[in-house]
Amino acid sequence: MATHVKSRVQRARMQALCAVALGVAAFAAPLQSSFAQDNYPAKPIRLIVPFPPGGGTDMIARAVAQKMSDQNKWNIVVDNRPGAGGNLGVDAAAKASPDGYTLVMGQTSNLAINPSLYAKLPYDPIKDLVPVALVSSAPIVMATGVSSKYKTFPEVVAASKNKPDALTLGYSGNGTVAHLAGEQAENAAGIKLRHVPYKGAAQAMTDLMGGNIDLYMSAIPTLLGHVRNGKLRPVVVTSLKRSPQLPDTPTLAELGYKDFEAISWYGVLAPAGTPAPIVDKLNKAINDALTQPDVVEKLRSEGGDVLGGTSQKFSQLLRAEVPRWSKIVKDSGATLD
């Protein structure tokens, strides 16, 4: 009998010790989490760019990351993860630990267009990511070679109506903002162009300047250098207002295509579940960087407009853009496996 009583006492003591241990752990967990957030960042931050080095997204990411590092004494490492229209890099960020040490520079194509363009997308941009801050936006420009006989968009429209499907329109990749902006411009003008998708801008630029294609659509940063050195002629831009970098180039809206707008926007996101205090800290650092004259000049010199703002502002934009581009993709008939 005494042995049974002793055993019960020991079990009771063990249960009490376990309860105390669990209580201590439950109390310590929030403290550890709070400590981690208060001391964030305690190690390098990885900013994934889902495209190759040297492109517009990469340039934007590096300009902002460098300024954030300089201002806050942080170590931000840019990690280029190209592939599948940006899907590989975004998916890597979406599946990363939500601790604030993995971010991604997303943009219109991989966040708002790809969910409708790809039959099986490995991530949900709204459920699997939390917007941190918008960074910039850039309109799409239609350009011709400087020796082309088409000098204005009305001339392009007139020529295409005279010979439908004769003028060629190049762009980098099916389902990109440039591709869909071209589709929208065709529909608005009631014309038919022959599409020529490229895997990248380099060969397209060669063909455009050599007269092998008539027109090319791209975000301004891709074409601006060639425009400035006199090799390309901008015909029209797709923003509601003229671009400061192309002040003599009209918008489709002012040419009579009311409310026409197709822009590429860029912003930083983190994995869903990233603590709000860390998101807020990152948001402040990004907005502070975007107020610096050298960053503003860098983004604007490449054809972009500086955005910034709250995480909520970015979230609202994303939730509005996904269904808007879904309709555009559906109307275009574009699909990718």
Side-chain angles (χ1 to χ4, degrees), residues 89-234:
V90 177
D91 186 49
K95 290 178 169 56
S97 176
D99 54 12
Y101 290 101
T102 300
L103 309 173
V104 63
M105 180 65 77
Q107 39 98 292
T108 310
S109 289
N110 49 47
L111 296 176
I113 294 175
N114 287 1
S116 299
L117 187 66
Y118 286 81
K120 294 181 180 179
L121 200 66
Y123 59 89
D124 184 317
I126 293 177
K127 293 181 181 179
D128 297 337
L129 295 162
V130 56
V132 176
L134 284 165
V135 173
S136 69
S137 66
I140 306 300
V141 59
M142 177 183 284
T144 66
V146 71
S147 59
S148 171
K149 62 181 178 181
Y150 308 113
K151 296 178 173 59
T152 67
F153 187 68
E155 290 178 356
V156 170
V157 172
S160 183
K161 286 187 174 181
N162 184 47
K163 289 185 178 181
D165 204 33
L167 272 69
T168 49
L169 174 67
Y171 46 81
S172 293
N174 284 318
T176 58
V177 179
H179 169 205
L180 296 175
E183 293 267 8
Q184 286 181 279
E186 284 182 73
N187 293 336
I191 60 176
K192 180 64 176 175
L193 302 172
R194 182 151 48 90
H195 287 212
V196 183
Y198 287 82
K199 292 183 178 180
Q203 184 59 49
M205 294 299 96
T206 300
D207 286 352
L208 183 63
M209 290 183 281
N212 295 320
I213 57 173
D214 298 304
L215 308 161
Y216 188 76
M217 296 283 286
S218 179
I220 283 183
T222 302
L223 301 179
L224 194 57
H226 296 297
V227 171
R228 287 173 172 165
N229 64 24
K231 293 183 179 180
L232 296 180
R233 177 189 298 115

Side-chain angles (χ1 to χ4, degrees), residues 237-250:
V237 294
T238 62
S239 51
L240 289 175
K241 296 181 180 179
R242 293 194 181 199
S243 166
Q245 284 68 42
L246 301 173
D248 298 325
T249 305

